[in-house]
């Protein structure tokens, strides 16, 4: 038995997982994102966003440690002493752990992510770079995908300008994010706001669709900073030149994300495969990134449960060394290589420098 929320992978899933991670790491490297390696152990920090859900350990000195539960916060903390002026690009990959499963992560307690961070650049071009790489990541995984783009800062600026008390703003944010118009209407009846603010707040949950949503949003009475965020988003999408699905009522963690937030889905699979966005000022002055859930990608791809047979059955080490340079080869141990090859569906036998079809044996 293994602990709940963990996985044991056999071939071909384990091999496919490694291949997917290698494809993503190669893609990011070719776009200038250098790999970093992060420790699996962190010093416990009660201010960490996942502090209460992290696995805690105590070392022999009595210091409280945690297992790594999230990459971005740890990477930002470790990078600060090493960052200079200009733009830096980093990628990471590895396992994360939580004491309890997360519904957004498929309820795993141990899961794998591959991700990247663009640091020191902000604005529409930087956001377009990140979004473009999200599309490329889906293609590298071999998945058809749709990217859903939100602007939590738009909701945040509208709420700040509304005059609602802080607790009411939090309630409104949750109602907008869940697209619960009756709840939002009832809340505004208890906390009157200006007609302009009311009109905008009630419109936010329905701002969902294609590029026409931008025009609809721009026609609303908006505070200046919200209008600027919309203009930047419009420039980003012009630079991206890829169709996206807009959800301008997306209000998840609006106090954290300073610009775009996005998720990607594939048809027939209801959970997001990747997610990320811009978080200037939250952890670093200028930063954006995203992470891919590798287990999610595996589930979406639905790999076969039966392993693929090798192409060649080698009868000695010389043949193994010779043909493994270009094919999948297995070294034979036994008494009847022909019967074994036929049973496994291996088409070729090889010995020394010679290779021949099993039917010819």
């Amino acid at each position: 038995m293994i602990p709940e929320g963990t996985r044991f992978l056999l071939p071909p899933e384990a091999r496919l997982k490694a291949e997917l991670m290698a494809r993503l790491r190669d893609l990011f490297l070719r776009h200038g994102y250098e790999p970093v390696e992060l420790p699996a152990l962190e010093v416990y920090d009660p201010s960490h966003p996942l502090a209460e859900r992290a696995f805690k350990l105590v070392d022999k000195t009595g210091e409280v440690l945690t297992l790594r539960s999230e990459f971005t916060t740890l990477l930002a903390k470790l990078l600060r002493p090493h960052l200079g002026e200009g733009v830096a690009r980093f990628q990471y990959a590895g396992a994360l752990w939580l004491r309890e499963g997360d519904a957004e992560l498929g309820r795993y307690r141990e899961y794998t992510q591959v991700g990247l961070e663009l640091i020191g650049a902000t604005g529409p071009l930087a956001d377009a770079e990140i979004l473009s790489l999200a599309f490329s990541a889906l293609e590298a995984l071999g998945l058809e995908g749709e990217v859903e783009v939100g602007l939590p800062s738009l909701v945040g600026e509208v709420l700040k300008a509304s005059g609602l008390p802080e607790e009411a703003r939090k309630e409104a944010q949750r109602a907008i994010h869940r697209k619960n118009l009756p709840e939002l209407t009832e809340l505004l009846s208890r906390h009157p706001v200006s007609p302009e603010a009311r009109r905008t707040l009630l419109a936010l949950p329905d701002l969902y669709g294609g590029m026409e949503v931008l025009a609809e949003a721009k026609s609303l009475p908006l505070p200046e900073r919200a209008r600027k965020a919309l203009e930047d988003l419009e420039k980003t999408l012009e630079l991206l030149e890829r169709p996206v699905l807009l959800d301008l009522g997306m209000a998840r963690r609006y106090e954290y994300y300073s610009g775009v937030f996005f998720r990607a889905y594939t048809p027939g699979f209801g959970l997001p495969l990747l997610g990320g966005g811009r978080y200037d000022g939250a952890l670093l002055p200028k930063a954006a990134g995203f992470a891919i859930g590798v287990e999610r990608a595996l589930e979406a791809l639905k790999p076969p449960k039966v392993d693929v047979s090798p192409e060649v059955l080698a009868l000695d080490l010389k043949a193994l060394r010779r043909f493994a340079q270009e094919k999948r080869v297995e070294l034979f141990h036994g008494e009847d290589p022909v019967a074994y090859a036929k049973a496994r569906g291996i088409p070729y036998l090889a010995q020394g420098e010679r290779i021949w079809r099993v039917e010819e044996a």
Side-chain angles (χ1 to χ4, degrees):
M1 296 293 290
I2 62 173
E4 182 182 352
T6 63
R7 298 185 75 190
F8 171 59
L9 298 181
L10 288 166
E13 278 189 294
R15 185 178 68 248
L16 178 58
K17 179 179 178 180
E19 288 175 3
L20 295 180
M21 293 177 70
R23 286 183 217 167
L24 292 169
R25 300 204 73 164
D26 179 63
L27 169 70
F28 297 161
L29 187 62
R30 285 186 280 110
H31 285 77
Y33 289 79
E34 292 288 344
V36 291
E37 188 168 326
L38 303 175
L41 290 174
E42 299 183 58
V43 176
Y44 173 67
D45 178 2
S47 67
H48 190 284
L50 295 175
E52 296 308 309
R53 299 172 59 197
F55 279 103
K56 298 182 181 67
L57 309 91
V58 179
D59 69 11
K60 65 180 182 180
T61 70
E63 184 171 37
V64 180
L65 306 175
T66 63
L67 282 176
R68 184 176 63 205
S69 59
E70 187 247 358
F71 277 112
T72 302
T73 303
L74 176 59
L75 180 60
K77 180 172 66 176
L78 296 179
L79 281 177
R80 283 188 201 111
H82 304 282
L83 290 175
E85 297 295 323
V87 177
R89 294 174 173 84
F90 300 98
Q91 61 163 296
Y92 54 80
L96 299 167
W97 297 268
L98 288 173
R99 285 193 300 121
E100 58 187 84
D102 188 323
E104 290 193 10
L105 298 168
R107 302 196 182 280
Y108 290 114
R109 295 197 299 169
E110 179 183 41
Y111 52 100
T112 308
Q113 285 187 347
V114 179
L116 58 80
E117 307 293 337
L118 173 61
I119 296 168
T122 192
L125 182 59
D127 289 345
E129 176 181 341
I130 293 291
L131 280 164
S132 178
L133 272 166
F135 277 100
S136 296
L138 292 173
E139 291 163 4
L141 293 171
L143 289 166
E144 179 187 348
E146 183 172 65
V147 176
E148 183 180 87
V149 178
L151 196 58
S153 58
L154 170 69
V155 178
E157 292 300 331
V158 170
L159 287 171
K160 285 178 194 174
S162 69
L164 286 168
E166 183 177 352
E167 194 55 41
R169 286 205 303 267
K170 291 179 181 177
E171 290 181 48
Q173 177 258 327
R174 289 191 290 269
I176 291 167
H177 189 70
R178 295 195 303 265
K179 306 194 182 308
N180 191 328
L181 203 54
E183 182 181 333
L184 182 60
T185 303
E186 193 275 331
L187 183 145
L188 293 178
S189 71
R190 290 186 282 113
H191 300 278
V193 297
S194 70
E196 291 80 9
R198 178 184 174 84
R199 177 188 164 198
T200 301
L201 286 167
L202 291 176
L204 286 173
D206 291 330
L207 293 178
Y208 186 88
M211 290 296 286
E212 73 282 355
V213 169
L214 277 176
E216 187 178 344
K218 288 165 68 177
S219 71
L220 295 169
L222 295 171
E224 189 56 37
R225 288 168 64 94
R227 192 167 298 280
K228 174 65 165 59
L230 268 181
E231 291 170 357
D232 285 348
L233 175 60
E234 188 170 26
K235 290 175 186 173
T236 295
L237 298 179
E238 288 172 358
L239 292 166
L240 180 63
E241 297 182 324
R242 300 285 295 260
V244 301
L245 187 63
L246 290 171
D247 182 0
L248 299 185
M250 190 188 292
R252 180 178 182 267
R253 296 178 70 187
Y254 69 82
E255 70 285 354
Y256 178 84
Y257 288 103
S258 62
V260 297
F261 174 78
F262 57 91
R263 297 176 294 208
Y265 296 85
T266 192
F269 191 76
L271 296 170
L273 300 170
L274 64 80
R278 174 155 300 283
Y279 54 95
D280 290 357
L283 299 170
L284 295 164
K286 300 174 185 177
F290 66 87
I292 299 110
V294 180
E295 285 79 11
R296 286 273 180 88
L298 277 175
E299 289 180 26
L301 285 165
K302 298 178 176 61
K305 299 299 182 183
V306 179
D307 195 15
V308 178
S309 298
E311 298 171 83
V312 180
L313 185 65
L315 304 184
D316 56 27
L317 284 172
K318 185 174 182 180
L320 177 68
R321 289 191 295 266
R322 163 66 179 84
F323 294 102
Q325 297 176 35
E326 55 195 38
K327 302 178 185 298
R328 287 194 66 205
V329 182
E330 180 181 301
L331 181 63
F332 178 66
H333 297 271
E335 296 182 358
D336 190 342
V338 175
Y340 179 83
K342 288 180 177 178
R344 289 284 311 280
I346 302 173
Y348 292 96
L349 297 174
Q351 188 168 31
E353 294 288 331
R354 180 172 167 246
I355 185 170
W356 65 96
R357 295 194 68 86
V358 172
E359 293 83 356
E360 299 170 6

